[in-house]
Amino acid sequence: MNVEVKLRVSNIEKSFPGVKALDKINFAVKKGTVHVLCGENGAGKSTLMKVINGIHKPDSGQILIDGQVVEISNPIQARSLGISMIFQELNYMPEMTIEESLFVGNWPKDKFGKVDWKEIRKRTLTLLEKEQLSYDPETKLKDLTVSDIQMLEILKAISYNSDIIIMDEPTSAITQKEVEVLFKKINELKARGTSIIYISHKMDEIFRIADEITVFRDGCVVDSRPKDAYDMETVITQMVGRKLESVFQKEDIKIGGTVLQVKGLTSDGKFDNVSFEVSEGEIVGFAGLMGAGRTEVMRVLFGLDPYQAGEITIKNKNVNIKNVKTSIDRKMVMLSEDRRRFGIIPVRSVRENVSLSSLRKFIYDGRLHPEVENQTVTDFCKKMNVKTPDYETSIEALSGGNQQKVVLAKWMVTNPDILILDEPTRGIDVGAKHEIYKLMTMLAKQGKALIMVSSELPELIMMCDKIYVMSKGKITGVLRREEFSQERIMAYATETISQEGVNQ
Amino acid sequence: MSKVNKQSLWTSIKSKYSIYFVLIVLFLVCWLANENFVSVENIKNISTQISVGTILAFGQTILIISGMLDLSSASVLALAGVLSVSVYKMTGSLLLAFVAAILVGVICNILNGLMVTRFKTPPFIATLAMMTIARGAALMYTNGQNIYQIGAYIKFGQGRILGMPTPVIFMVTLLVLTWYLLRHTVFGRSIYAIGGNEEAANASGINVNRIKMQAFIINGIFVGIAGVLFMSRVNGGMPNGAVGYEFKALTAAVIGGTSFSGGIGTASGTLAGAFIVGFLDNIMVLVGVNSYLQQIVRGAIIALAVIYDIWAKTKRTKRKLGSAEAK
């Protein structure tokens, strides 16, 4: 099959002070295909995409569209050349309506130079109809789900008549069902001749959607082949540059007495009558589609949100969780799904981030004891294998995986009995994921009780001893390890089957 | 890799201590510009002049680090000052007068704090309201008249202890107190965390509302003390006094490297910022710069300081983004 090349980059180089981000990058995207880029965080994929989108200026090299050399100096220019980018972290204005957001920066004007709202409405409706989406143009973005907003971004790209669409980890925040919708859309776009550059960490997705795959490592292209010439093992090996066990082996850990018991927990409008138990050394999973109420349950349990009914028992003691402080005092901590929002203090150092929840350990007798603090921070960062030049470096300079380890270190300093991990591996690379799994195993071995909320079923199946499945604010099923299968979990999550007696 | 580290170490030293470097250079330039600049008396003079504004600036520093600010500080200063003077005239007790000022400062700031924590008013709006209320209250209480003949009350602001002007002693004491609070207490660490990322601070077990309230209360104490010093220095209870001092204080904090985006700032930086403004004002008078031009220069300095702050920050983030992406 000989398809024409839509976009080609040749010998692109880009350096940031002190580091070479891209080193003589060559690759080509064919018309009407999906080209997947993989690589660990920091391999240079996003930097290259920013070069193509005009956000970064390359030091040398060329970009060719349809065989013509083009100069792209900003995203608006990129758009006029038919390139649209859908960012990993969606930036949107929550107060905007759908129609406003579709035309932001590109409003049609009438003959007086005034924004032509009638025209906007007309075009929005045509677009929505053409793409068979049933949104009301006046809905505000804040009332939509993440995947809806993503769909709108795609719609926007279509409305600009883009024939190259870059998607940076589009599935990192959406559920399996929504992934299907996205993939359907991608296939439609392909059929129209649009080229798609797709960045992802998720192997199963990559192999479903890709026509071609290019692997990045340390700012270089390692290899680029059609999908059929690749297998998962090869991609992973090329990504990390070493042989990595693609499946983590769960160890057998002795499960002790019940540590946490939740009975009939209810938060009006969010979830209803949720009951579960976690024991020492046990890893308990929570599966479900996005919006099933898993994160909401954990937030209540951790004291971030109030609850209306239910009993929480920790080590046979009835506790009333009023705020985060009470749950930390009861030795229960939570790693949030949204690290940037609830996990890190970006402008402060690694040291301050680690000690934040245990300040009383270092500040006593009326003063700070820096030597105690430094020692503790060093110890825990080493245990968590945090890679940082030093502990005074500000945390935002670290990669996502290392930031996650710092947040975990912060919680470990409080010496918790119960750890709630909400999407602990979201947005971090394969290598760091394995380290997180290893740390979880280590913690379970120490007799800690772990709760893991995850949207990645393989991960839950691999790590957990027991999985609770939620749907629409209720627990719809509970599975023991020997009963685990993706199909069964999905069946409970979508309530195609129901299990009796779960909530007793 | 080691080269990268060395580079970033040097940049971090540069960005950390640049303000003191600026201060020293300015000092040397002033020295060369006018022979009268460097003398014990002139330096004492400058220090005394900046003391009231700097004390307000320490309170602002704490608030700005935590992502807030106080527009009401000069008005509350005036209210606390006139009430304090009048308590002294009624009772003849310096101690009671001093306590009264602090009490007024604290009460006004508890109201600020309640508006911010309980009713979720943005600090800008809450303290803007308090700015107008407190000034109005000061004017109403005094019927718009200055209170004269304040007797021994002038000791607070015009006395000397071991040759040191009392306002300077207050300023240095509060500098040490602010430094201690920021560096050595749970409160201080919490302030930085809240300003850096309020939601993450809350999710780390910090009682955000309580800490914000404490920040306002401490600010109130500083404002009260500043009120006593100000009235004592001007020989009277002046309800219209210290107008614009809240901006003097904000200026010192911002020039001193306190970031309006929150999470960054130090007490010593603010002091350096205050001295930079103080030196400039002084040298402009000494070399006879037109007083209108002085204002323009002062404004330009603020603009430069903020531009530098933002520039340094984007440079820092860019470098970090670069190294984080390309590692």
Side-chain angles (χ1 to χ4, degrees), chain B residues 59-71 109 112-117 121-124 126-127 187 191 194-196 198 208-217 219 250 253-254 258-263:
Chain B
Q60 298 282 14
T61 304
I62 293 175
L63 290 171
I64 299 171
I65 290 173
S66 64
M68 307 191 287
L69 86 172
D70 180 13
L71 291 177
N109 275 279
N112 279 336
L114 279 177
M115 279 195 278
V116 170
T117 57
T121 325
F124 187 95
T127 61
F187 166 78
I191 282 292
I194 291 171
E198 187 171 327
V208 173
N209 282 346
R210 199 174 66 200
I211 299 284
K212 281 185 172 178
M213 191 52 114
Q214 287 171 354
F216 269 116
I217 291 172
N219 179 58
L250 289 170
V254 168
T258 316
S259 162
F260 252 97
S261 345

Side-chain angles (χ1 to χ4, degrees), chain A residues 79-355:
Chain A
R79 195 192 286 165
S80 67
L81 290 165
I83 302 170
S84 282
M85 180 155 175
I86 297 164
F87 289 93
Q88 180 181 6
E89 272 156 35
L90 295 167
N91 288 314
Y92 59 94
M93 291 157 251
E95 289 294 334
M96 263 196 177
T97 64
I98 288 181
E99 56 181 5
E100 282 170 330
S101 83
L102 280 177
F103 291 94
V104 65
N106 197 22
W107 287 293
K109 298 195 183 98
D110 62 15
K111 54 180 185 285
F112 302 112
K114 182 179 138 301
V115 174
D116 190 346
W117 290 108
K118 273 192 196 139
E119 176 72 18
I120 289 183
R121 175 64 54 87
K122 210 175 81 196
R123 281 206 231 163
T124 306
L125 289 173
T126 325
L127 202 60
L128 287 169
E129 200 177 337
K130 199 173 115 203
E131 303 303 326
Q132 295 167 12
L133 295 168
S134 55
Y135 298 125
D136 175 357
E138 284 185 73
T139 310
K140 286 189 174 174
L141 297 190
K142 63 176 178 188
D143 298 324
L144 297 175
T145 64
V146 178
S147 65
D148 284 334
I149 290 166
Q150 204 162 46
M151 209 44 87
L152 282 177
E153 286 289 319
I154 295 172
L155 211 56
K156 224 195 245 180
I158 295 169
S159 81
Y160 296 141
N161 292 318
S162 304
D163 36 25
I164 301 166
I165 300 181
I166 304 167
M167 300 185 185
D168 193 355
E169 293 201 46
T171 60
S172 65
I174 63 177
T175 59
Q176 199 56 43
K177 211 164 103 196
E178 292 160 339
V179 171
E180 297 307 322
V181 178
L182 176 72
F183 281 10
K184 218 178 102 201
K185 198 94 236 164
I186 289 178
N187 282 326
E188 280 174 38
L189 290 170
K190 249 171 74 171
R192 291 181 211 168
T194 310
S195 308
I196 289 161
I197 303 176
Y198 188 101
I199 299 179
S200 179
H201 282 133
K202 297 183 183 165
M203 288 299 149
D204 47 341
E205 261 174 28
I206 292 173
F207 279 89
R208 271 190 58 194
I209 198 77
D211 295 306
E212 282 183 273
I213 298 175
T214 296
V215 179
F216 277 70
R217 189 176 71 230
D218 303 329
C220 301
V221 169
V222 179
D223 200 357
S224 189
R225 305 181 197 171
K227 176 183 78 177
D228 300 332
Y230 256 126
D231 60 58
M232 229 180 260
E233 207 65 38
T234 319
V235 173
I236 292 177
T237 314
Q238 288 185 346
M239 269 169 68
V240 297
R242 57 183 185 273
K243 197 90 178 158
L244 189 81
E245 302 243 295
S246 69
V247 185
F248 185 81
Q249 201 55 52
K250 183 178 163 62
E251 292 179 43
D252 260 332
I253 295 159
K254 199 173 156 280
I255 293 173
T258 307
V259 181
L260 172 73
Q261 215 175 358
V262 174
K263 260 195 208 142
L265 197 65
T266 299
S267 171
D268 293 342
K270 287 180 181 159
F271 57 84
D272 191 31
N273 198 20
V274 168
S275 305
F276 61 92
E277 277 179 21
V278 191
S279 304
E280 275 174 28
E282 190 179 34
I283 302 178
V284 171
F286 272 79
L289 303 176
M290 187 159 281
R294 295 168 299 163
T295 297
E296 286 76 4
V297 171
M298 300 311 151
R299 283 180 60 90
V300 164
L301 197 55
F302 187 49
L304 282 166
D305 294 326
Y307 57 100
Q308 275 76 45
E311 254 176 53
I312 299 169
T313 316
I314 294 173
K315 295 203 161 166
N316 297 322
K317 251 198 222 138
N318 220 318
V319 293
N320 179 18
I321 307 273
K322 288 194 295 272
N323 53 34
V324 175
K325 185 104 193 1
T326 43
S327 46
I328 294 175
D329 289 344
R330 305 277 178 225
K331 301 201 161 295
M332 177 161 66
V333 300
M334 172 169 168
L335 195 72
S336 167
E337 61 170 340
D338 195 338
R339 184 174 57 240
R340 284 205 66 79
R341 198 165 149 203
F342 297 108
I344 63 167
I345 313 287
V347 290
R348 307 308 300 178
S349 64
V350 171
R351 171 178 57 85
E352 283 177 67
N353 272 282
V354 171
S355 41

Side-chain angles (χ1 to χ4, degrees), chain A residues 16 18 21 42 47 50 302 324 328 340-342 344-345 348 351 355 357 359-360 363 366 368 373 394 397 410-411, chain B residues 4-5 180 183-186 189 192-193 196-197 199-200 202-206 263 320 322-327:
Chain A
F16 292 104
T47 312
K50 283 180 183 163
F302 187 49
V324 175
I328 294 175
R340 284 205 66 79
R341 198 165 149 203
F342 297 108
I344 63 167
I345 313 287
R348 307 308 300 178
R351 171 178 57 85
S355 41
S357 292
L359 292 170
R360 295 259 167 238
I363 298 172
L368 170 74
E373 187 186 13
S394 102
K410 166 178 84 183
W411 290 128
Chain B
V4 176
N5 284 346
Y180 172 81
R183 161 124 183 115
H184 281 286
T185 65
V186 172
R189 283 294 190 84
Y192 284 108
N197 182 352
E199 285 181 300
N202 178 46
S204 299
I206 290 171
K320 272 168 188 161
S323 63
E325 264 174 29
K327 218 174 278 162

